[in-house]
């Protein structure tokens, strides 16, 4: 008796899905306008797009443009705020800072402030460096 066996590589679950290639996968406002223009050019002249549909698409375009503007402003704000943090912590130069190291409370005078990998690092008079967010207290140097 002969039996027919189905090869496991032919099952749908094992099939290799083709890779989708759609460019950068981000649609911007230019792409949105191209799609809108293509819709307008290729619409049925006997059954044109309704006013409410056109207004809804224009509202979507306006929202997209505003969201892109907000994203750009947020990016600029992040760049400025990282510089602003360095300036704010520079006020600590010459002041005594206290931080916790294990069970002990340590203190030293801040001699320098640097920004490293987006974090503020304090250079101390004892030669050590600590992260600014480790500081518990800042006092005027006596």
């Amino acid at each position: 008796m002969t039996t027919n066996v189905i090869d496991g590589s032919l099952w749908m679950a094992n099939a290799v899905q083709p890779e989708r290639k759609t460019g950068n996968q981000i649609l911007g406002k230019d792409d949105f306008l191209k799609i809108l223009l293509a819709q307008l050019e290729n619409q049925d002249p006997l059954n044109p797009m309704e006013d409410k549909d056109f207004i809804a698409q224009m509202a979507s375009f306006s929202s997209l443009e505003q969201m892109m503007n907000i994203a750009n402003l947020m990016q600029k704000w992040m760049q400025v705020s990282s510089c602003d943090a360095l300036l704010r912590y520079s006020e600590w130069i010459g002041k005594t800072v206290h931080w916790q190291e294990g069970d002990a409370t340590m203190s030293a005078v801040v001699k320098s402030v640097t920004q490293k990998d987006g974090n503020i690092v304090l250079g101390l008079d004892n030669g050590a460096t600590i992260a600014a967010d480790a500081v518990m207290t800042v006092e005027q140097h006596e």
Side-chain angles (χ1 to χ4, degrees):
M1 172 183 247
T2 306
T3 59
N4 294 331
V5 179
I6 298 175
D7 184 13
S9 65
L10 299 175
W11 295 348
M12 288 297 289
N14 295 334
V16 177
Q17 298 295 323
E19 185 178 331
R20 291 182 163 188
K21 294 185 180 181
T22 58
N24 62 6
Q25 298 194 11
I26 297 174
L27 291 176
K29 62 182 177 180
D30 293 335
D31 298 316
F32 189 87
L33 276 177
K34 287 177 187 176
I35 292 170
L36 183 62
L37 285 174
Q39 275 183 329
L40 290 174
E41 289 174 354
N42 297 310
Q43 68 181 336
D44 182 3
L46 300 176
N47 187 17
M49 183 185 302
E50 299 241 356
D51 291 344
K52 63 182 178 181
D53 294 336
F54 185 74
I55 291 170
Q57 287 185 348
M58 291 308 292
S60 296
F61 176 71
S62 179
S63 296
L64 171 67
E65 188 172 25
Q66 291 304 315
M67 285 178 26
M68 290 178 69
N69 291 341
I70 290 171
N72 289 337
L73 286 174
M74 288 295 291
Q75 188 174 23
K76 289 178 186 176
W77 180 76
M78 291 296 291
Q79 291 170 348
V80 169
S81 69
S82 67
C83 294
D84 188 42
L86 186 63
L87 292 173
R88 281 185 282 127
Y89 284 107
S90 69
E91 294 176 4
W92 290 8
I93 295 174
K95 295 184 179 175
T96 302
V97 292
H98 302 274
W99 70 97
Q100 197 72 30
E101 211 170 271
D103 291 335
T105 300
M106 309 294 288
S107 64
V109 176
V110 177
K111 291 292 182 185
S112 66
V113 178
T114 56
Q115 185 172 3
K116 186 175 184 181
D117 298 327
N119 297 317
I120 301 297
V121 179
L122 306 176
L124 306 174
D125 64 346
N126 62 7
T129 59
I130 62 167
D133 58 359
V135 173
M136 296 183 321
T137 309
V138 180
E139 293 179 344
Q140 183 67 39
H141 185 59
E142 298 172 6

